[in-house]
Amino acid sequence: MLNVLGTPVVEADRVTVAIAGRPVLRGVDVTIREGEFVALLGANGSGKSTLVRALTGLRPLTSGRVRLFGTPLHDFREHARIGFVPQRATAAGGVPASVREVVASGRLTRRTPLRPASRADRRAVQDALELVGLADRAHEGVSTLSGGQQQRVLIARALAGDPELFFLDEPTAGVDLPNQQALAGALRTLSERGATVVLVAHELGPMEPLVDRAVVMRDGRVAYDGAPLSLDAVHGHHHPFETTHDHAPHVGSPLDRLEGGR
Amino acid sequence: MSLLDLLALDFMQRAMLAALLTGLAAPAIGTFLVQRRLALLGDGIGHVAVTGVALGLLTGTSPTWTAVVVAILGAVAIEVIREQGHTNGDVALALLFYGGLAGGVLVTGLAGQGAASLQAYLFGSVTSISGADVWFTLGLAVVVLAVTLGLLPQLFAVASDPDFAQVAGVRVRAYNLLVAVLAAVTVTVAMRTVGLLLVSALMVVPVAASQQLARSFRATIVGAMAVGGGAAVAGLLISAALSLLPSRPTVAPGPAIVLLALAMFAATWPLGVWLRHRRRVLAPFAAEEPVRHEPADIHPHQHGDDCGHPAVQHGDHVDYVHDGHRHAPHGEHYDEH
């Protein structure tokens, strides 16, 4: 829901990030309120992933301020309230790991080191697996799953900590349509439970109906912030977009299109 | 003297205990290095530790202690260089490899000792393990095992996805440094049994063997410890047994231990290949209806449980995979699915 009066969950105030001396984000102001489902859209290099990394504390700010749940990012310690799905092609590493093990590491935000997992921890992991529809694959090696299933594992990992605020960095990149639909189903459930979702995407696909606010980035600045534009409003005519799976930023960054593309 | 007589000797028993602990600790920490694709980190630390041993020989202090200190400094340096990203991880490793080895040989020369005194540290030497060394090895190995197994969930999260771990509030840098320091400690622990030049093998080869069969991280680390412990003890026995041959050869335990671990990898690898192949062949087909009803050509062969063709789940029935076709029983004939 578009929640104009809700409690601010993420506040970015003139956020500027420079990577190796080059400004990548310039004066970004965004406030995301409780329960909103926000899509961060934009072309490659527009700064949308960098913005998410800045909001989660992975990228130091050059200037500006970020507050999460009202607390300055620097002092923010309630990690369990945040679920993060980083941009990754695979959930597998150099050593085999089972689906359940990967998902269980999402529970670390609520666990004390050197203590065994409690019953609540195990139940949360099981619930997360069920929500993404992978409970029957829990004991299999992550590397044996398809790319789309691995993305679902990464989402289940973020879910396992029972967070209120989700950051998802391109979870649908290179994922086939059935898996995108499974992802969208899981995100719908989350959103209905009242979670705040910040989703970075090139193309929304099956997630489109869930989005109630689009923030379009272009060249490190916010180019558009408001209700998602319908395809017709952007293009003026109908595009059969279910069949397009390339990474050209048509739905992803409508304003780029309006102004002549990349 | 028979092998049994040899086993009754104090130094042999000490060596066996040291080897077992080394064989357990090295793969435990090695699993995290392999997960982070830093399999050669142990080797880099081992080379740096050569300089530490040489400094001990030069100054007359215990080479074990100087090796621990220098190895930890080297490991932290590698980790810092890697994290800062100024140099590629592998180039940073290479710089320390060659600096450590050259420095070690140079300083040993300065100490007025030949290559022979380094030899015991480079390839291991059972007979050089004193009672104090065993206590030292025991203590450090227990620390390494307790920390790696106790903090397994945190270390796993950091090794498999540092960005995620960071956002989840896990102190990624601290844990990475911890792994580097533990690896350095393990290298010095293993120095007396397998030797500095082969220590990395004991960290990596058991993991490689174990992950052929394991599907989970926990199973990999436990399996690797079993392979490592087994190879270390058995390798030590082999080298001891060989020294009883009439020609009195001196076989260092390090090579025997490493070759044994490699043999275990060679044994599990084909099994792993076969298991992975089987899993792939038998993975269920997408439960979608066939495009059209298409009976197979004349088909004298009767498919069944033991017909030799893989039976793969397809929706509510099985397809028999047959020379690139998928044959599903349909009444009296087979359909192409």
Side-chain angles (χ1 to χ4, degrees):
Chain A
M1 70 199 133
L2 201 58
N3 193 359
V4 190
L5 297 173
T7 321
V9 173
V10 181
E11 294 163 275
D13 181 14
R14 275 168 292 159
V15 165
T16 297
V17 171
I19 299 176
R22 284 181 72 85
V24 178
L25 290 181
R26 295 173 292 139
V28 173
D29 285 312
V30 176
T31 301
I32 293 165
R33 294 173 192 278
E34 198 176 0
E36 284 187 324
F37 195 119
V38 179
L40 267 180
L41 306 167
N44 280 333
S46 60
K48 55 193 192 310
S49 280
T50 308
L51 180 57
V52 162
R53 292 178 71 80
L55 296 178
T56 49
L58 287 170
R59 222 3 124 186
L61 308 186
T62 311
S63 68
R65 278 184 319 194
V66 171
R67 286 168 170 270
L68 295 177
F69 297 100
T71 310
L73 187 57
H74 185 72
D75 303 322
F76 185 77
R77 293 289 174 275
E78 299 167 293
H79 300 283
R81 300 179 81 174
I82 296 184
F84 177 49
V85 181
Q87 186 174 11
R88 274 178 81 96
T90 163
V95 168
S98 70
V99 170
R100 184 184 296 279
E101 283 176 321
V102 173
V103 174
S105 64
R107 195 66 192 167
L108 285 179
T109 52
R110 295 189 183 270
R111 282 180 59 185
T112 318
L114 300 175
R115 290 264 189 84
S118 68
R119 185 172 298 173
D121 291 330
R122 285 195 294 273
R123 193 182 313 121
V125 170
Q126 186 65 28
D127 288 349
L129 282 166
E130 279 166 17
L131 188 62
V132 299
L134 288 173
D136 56 330
R137 315 293 295 268
H139 295 288
E140 290 181 35
V142 161
S143 58
T144 62
L145 268 53
S146 73
Q149 289 170 330
Q150 293 193 21
Q151 289 296 338
R152 282 153 67 187
V153 171
L154 295 181
I155 289 181
R157 180 177 66 176
L159 277 168
D162 283 331
E164 303 158 47
L165 166 63
F166 284 86
F167 290 103
L168 301 103
D169 196 351
E170 299 216 28
T172 53
V175 171
D176 60 11
L177 196 57
N179 272 303
Q180 287 194 28
Q181 281 158 349
L183 284 174
L187 291 182
R188 169 172 289 126
T189 310
L190 281 181
S191 191
E192 284 166 2
R193 287 180 189 172
T196 311
V197 179
V198 181
L199 169 76
V200 174
H202 257 302
E203 196 178 295
L204 291 171
M207 315 240 179
E208 202 193 3
L210 303 173
V211 175
D212 40 39
R213 179 174 159 200
V215 174
V216 180
M217 303 288 297
R218 190 159 55 83
D219 198 19
R221 315 199 71 155
V222 175
Y224 173 86
D225 185 350
L229 301 177
S230 72
L231 284 167
D232 283 355
V234 177
H235 292 266
H237 63 276
H238 177 69
H239 267 262
F241 98 102
E242 279 88 348
T243 57
T244 55
H245 282 281
D246 57 61
H247 266 181
H250 27 217
V251 186
S253 44
L255 295 186
D256 289 0
R257 264 303 159 96
L258 284 174
E259 291 169 25
R262 281 188 289 181
Chain B
M1 191 163 67
S2 77
L3 188 59
L4 275 181
D5 294 336
L6 193 63
L7 287 180
L9 295 177
D10 265 359
F11 83 84
M12 196 61 203
Q13 289 173 355
R14 283 201 299 265
M16 298 249 296
L17 189 58
L20 177 66
L21 288 165
T22 311
L24 294 176
I29 194 74
T31 308
F32 295 101
L33 300 183
V34 175
Q35 171 79 353
R36 292 173 61 195
R37 304 188 192 277
L38 282 174
L40 293 180
L41 181 73
D43 222 0
I45 297 171
H47 281 63
V48 174
V50 176
T51 297
V53 168
L55 286 174
L57 294 175
L58 180 67
T59 56
T61 43
S62 158
T64 310
W65 285 111
T66 49
V68 170
V69 173
V70 174
I72 288 178
L73 290 176
V76 171
I78 293 173
E79 183 53 37
V80 169
I81 294 173
R82 201 193 55 75
E83 195 206 350
Q84 299 296 321
H86 293 313
T87 319
N88 283 336
D90 58 339
V91 176
L93 280 176
L95 296 176
L96 283 156
F97 266 49
Y98 306 128
L101 191 56
V105 175
L106 189 91
V107 174
T108 313
L110 287 180
Q113 311 225 20
S117 47
L118 263 188
Q119 175 98 2
Y121 296 94
L122 292 182
F123 299 106
S125 158
V126 196
T127 47
S128 73
I129 300 179
S130 67
D133 278 337
V134 171
W135 288 114
F136 172 80
T137 307
L138 188 100
L140 290 183
V142 167
V143 168
V144 169
L145 285 173
V147 174
T148 43
L149 299 183
L151 294 175
L152 190 115
Q154 283 78 13
L155 291 171
F156 169 72
V158 169
S160 54
D161 193 339
D163 280 354
F164 173 81
Q166 175 96 40
V167 175
V170 181
R171 302 165 75 89
V172 170
R173 179 182 292 169
Y175 278 107
N176 277 341
L177 280 175
L178 178 68
V179 168
V181 168
L182 289 178
V185 170
T186 310
V187 164
T188 26
V189 165
M191 174 170 79
R192 292 308 187 97
T193 40
V194 266
L196 290 172
L197 289 188
L198 289 173
V199 57
S200 187
L202 199 53
M203 297 171 112
V204 174
V205 178
V207 182
S210 169
Q211 70 181 2
Q212 295 302 316
L213 306 182
R215 283 200 283 183
S216 72
F217 192 81
R218 203 171 285 264
T220 306
I221 202 167
V222 170
M225 286 168 65
V227 170
V233 171
L236 189 67
L237 289 176
I238 289 174
S239 81
L242 287 175
S243 70
L244 298 175
L245 290 177
S247 59
R248 298 268 154 209
T250 47
V251 176
I257 291 171
V258 171
L259 287 174
L260 208 57
L262 279 169
M264 293 193 202
F265 171 75
T268 52
W269 182 69
L271 202 56
V273 168
W274 180 75
L275 280 176
R276 282 189 292 274
H277 172 72
R278 209 178 125 78
R279 216 175 288 154
R280 196 164 49 243
V281 167
L282 292 181
F285 293 123
E288 283 171 35
E289 288 295 307
V291 180
R292 59 181 168 276
H293 178 233
E294 182 186 344
D297 292 340
I298 298 164
H299 200 282
H301 174 80
Q302 194 69 35
H303 288 299
D305 283 346
D306 299 315
C307 74
H309 296 117
V312 180
Q313 201 66 37
H314 178 210
D316 56 357
H317 61 279
V318 292
D319 287 357
Y320 294 95
V321 177
H322 183 165
D323 294 334
H325 296 265
R326 286 161 49 181
H327 287 168
H330 183 221
E332 296 291 302
H333 64 276
Y334 289 96
D335 281 351
E336 295 282 356
H337 271 193

